[in-house]
Amino acid sequence: MTAHVIADDAEALAVAAALAAEFRPGADARDRERRLPRAELDRLSRSGLLAVTVPAEHGGAEVSAATVAEIFRLLGSADPSLAQIPQSHFVYVNVIRRQGTPEQRKFLFAEVLAGRRLGNAQSEAGTKHVQDIRTRLTPRPDGSYLLTGVKHYSTGALFADWIPVLARAEDDDLHVAYVPWDAPGVTVVDDWDGMGQRTTASGTVRLAEVPVPADRVVPHHLTFQGPQLHGAFAQLLHAAIDAGIAGAALAEAAAFVRTRSRPWFESGTESAAEDPLLIQRFGELALRVRAAEALLREAARTVDEAGADLTDDSAAEASIAVATAKVTAAQAAVEVAGALFEVAGTRAALDSLNLHRHWRDARTHTLHDPVRWKIQHIGRYVLSGTRPPRHGLL
């Protein structure tokens, strides 16, 4: 595949807006038919959008976190499943940037610039908790490894050229192994059957003694030994997808009420859009969406500022700002997508219209990690100045 190389933030945003407009009309049918977006992902790859965070010294645009967040908000407003698929791609490009050797960066960044996609084999089912990783990297006499384990919720793996696998080495430290999708012993199973985000193919990856050269393994545990933005950046993209869902649900609700809903007989109005109670409710929903979008921009700005001067304090500020944005966006997505039926009326519940896809996507995506714990960390930070913990979910 030959990919375009995007030059700067402005071009990245223009390309994202154009692709979102292109992807939006087909999102309903893809969801309804569970038609996986292979052609759309190829368009995304060829556009160069997946390489915009590659450092300038390696030929990339090295765009800001604010730009990446807006890219994901735009894509999320068009098709949340399609937006979710490359989220891990950007996260694991960041891992290379942070912990890769010069040789690893040179090779893998060239792959990304050429349009290659990174997937995700991170989470495991049936373990004690989300950070109880049991997939193992077993050393071999020649310095290489054998990789063994089973991964679930592997968004992006089915469409990936490289699958980053989170695993523990013999010292029990966390590493990321970058494995070709067609490596011996790798099986990607399309068994995702979630009620929402139906076309992410977030299924199972089975790893049966997969041979991994030493130069494809990155020491991810080092990321969390000092101030870091790994978790803040990853969560920023999730917040952007939620904000996109909320905005799209509000727009669809408004269009439905303007063109298809009947006014309630007691309102005395000629159209539903003139009903003062509906006007009030739309105003309330718009506040939720605007707050989510504003906090997303503020969080992205804070991440960029922390990246320019990374300290324990600046990293903590970024994590708290992103947590605030994520809580607000998640709540807005679920509320607005649910309120669509409230304001649009009974006809909106028809399965044939598939308007429930907004709520299904919002409810499914916001389960990624609990916002209640983010609120806890925000509260501790405000009351006692306690910095949030260093992990990849905050």
Side-chain angles (χ1 to χ4, degrees):
M1 178 183 295
T2 302
H4 173 67
V5 178
I6 288 174
D8 54 29
D9 293 69
E11 184 183 4
L13 291 172
V15 170
L19 286 176
E22 179 183 328
F23 297 154
R24 185 172 288 108
D28 174 27
R30 286 191 295 273
D31 173 88
R32 189 190 304 271
E33 301 163 14
R34 198 183 177 271
R35 176 161 46 85
L36 301 182
R38 295 183 184 275
E40 290 78 11
L41 281 169
D42 286 345
R43 284 280 295 118
L44 199 59
S45 294
R46 288 194 298 270
S47 76
L49 210 57
L50 298 183
V52 294
T53 57
V54 170
E57 64 184 289
H58 289 274
E62 197 172 355
V63 303
S64 66
T67 292
V68 181
E70 180 61 7
I71 288 169
F72 272 80
R73 190 195 68 80
L74 288 166
L75 294 176
S77 71
D79 184 341
S81 288
L82 188 52
Q84 179 63 31
I85 291 168
Q87 191 267 349
S88 290
H89 170 95
F90 280 86
V91 170
Y92 284 105
V93 168
N94 248 14
V95 171
I96 300 165
R97 183 174 182 172
R98 174 93 178 182
Q99 299 300 341
T101 64
E103 292 76 17
Q104 288 172 328
R105 291 172 189 158
K106 180 180 180 181
F107 174 77
L108 288 167
F109 286 151
E111 288 286 283
V112 172
L113 285 167
R116 310 281 194 271
R117 293 191 290 266
L118 307 184
N120 155 40
Q122 181 169 286
S123 293
E124 300 178 10
T127 57
K128 185 176 181 180
H129 51 69
V130 71
Q131 292 195 333
D132 181 16
I133 302 298
R134 300 181 185 179
T135 298
R136 308 301 299 192
L137 278 165
T138 304
R140 305 168 81 184
D142 63 359
S144 66
Y145 298 90
L146 288 178
L147 180 63
T148 303
V150 179
K151 298 290 189 175
H152 298 266
Y153 312 117
S154 303
T155 305
L158 190 67
F159 313 104
D161 299 285
W162 291 89
I163 303 176
V165 180
L166 199 60
R168 294 192 184 276
E170 58 181 347
D171 56 8
D172 219 34
D173 286 334
L174 278 177
H175 293 71
V176 175
Y178 288 79
V179 178
W181 70 274
D182 57 352
V186 174
T187 305
V188 182
V189 185
D190 178 20
D191 57 359
W192 170 245
D193 66 347
M195 68 173 181
Q197 293 197 301
R198 289 177 170 175
T199 61
T200 59
S202 301
T204 302
V205 173
R206 301 185 185 280
L207 306 149
E209 295 191 333
V210 179
V212 183
D215 62 359
R216 295 292 177 264
V217 177
V218 175
H220 190 38
H221 61 99
L222 298 180
T223 299
F224 307 102
Q225 291 185 4
Q228 51 82 34
L229 297 172
H230 176 82
F233 180 79
Q235 289 290 305
L236 182 70
L237 306 189
H238 284 303
I241 293 170
D242 289 340
I245 294 172
L250 181 63
E252 183 123 45
F256 195 95
V257 168
R258 283 194 300 266
T259 61
R260 306 187 70 169
S261 294
R262 296 182 297 178
W264 183 244
F265 70 93
E266 291 178 286
S267 70
T269 62
E270 291 298 313
S271 71
E274 297 172 305
D275 183 333
L277 297 182
L278 281 181
I279 290 171
Q280 175 73 19
R281 186 62 175 133
F282 270 97
E284 293 168 350
L285 297 175
L287 288 174
R288 304 289 187 273
V289 174
R290 286 176 178 250
E293 292 173 348
L295 286 169
L296 178 69
R297 290 190 296 269
E298 172 68 11
R301 181 189 64 78
T302 307
V303 170
D304 281 325
E305 289 180 352
D309 182 20
L310 188 58
T311 65
D312 285 331
D313 287 337
S314 66
E317 281 287 340
S319 287
I320 292 299
V322 171
T324 303
K326 179 65 167 63
V327 171
T328 305
Q331 292 174 343
V334 172
E335 179 183 356
V336 177
L340 184 156
F341 304 100
E342 169 196 335
V343 297
T346 305
R347 194 186 315 179
L350 294 176
D351 194 57
S352 60
L353 296 177
N354 201 28
L355 293 177
H356 47 66
R357 72 184 186 278
H358 299 288
W359 184 86
R360 288 188 288 100
D361 284 337
R363 185 63 282 175
T364 302
H365 183 253
T366 55
L367 296 175
H368 183 273
D369 53 283
V371 298
R372 59 186 177 272
W373 275 99
K374 299 184 190 305
I375 295 171
Q376 282 282 310
H377 294 308
I378 293 167
R380 291 191 185 101
Y381 189 71
V382 170
L383 279 173
S384 61
T386 303
R387 297 188 188 109
R390 293 172 175 160
H391 59 61
L393 295 172
L394 193 67

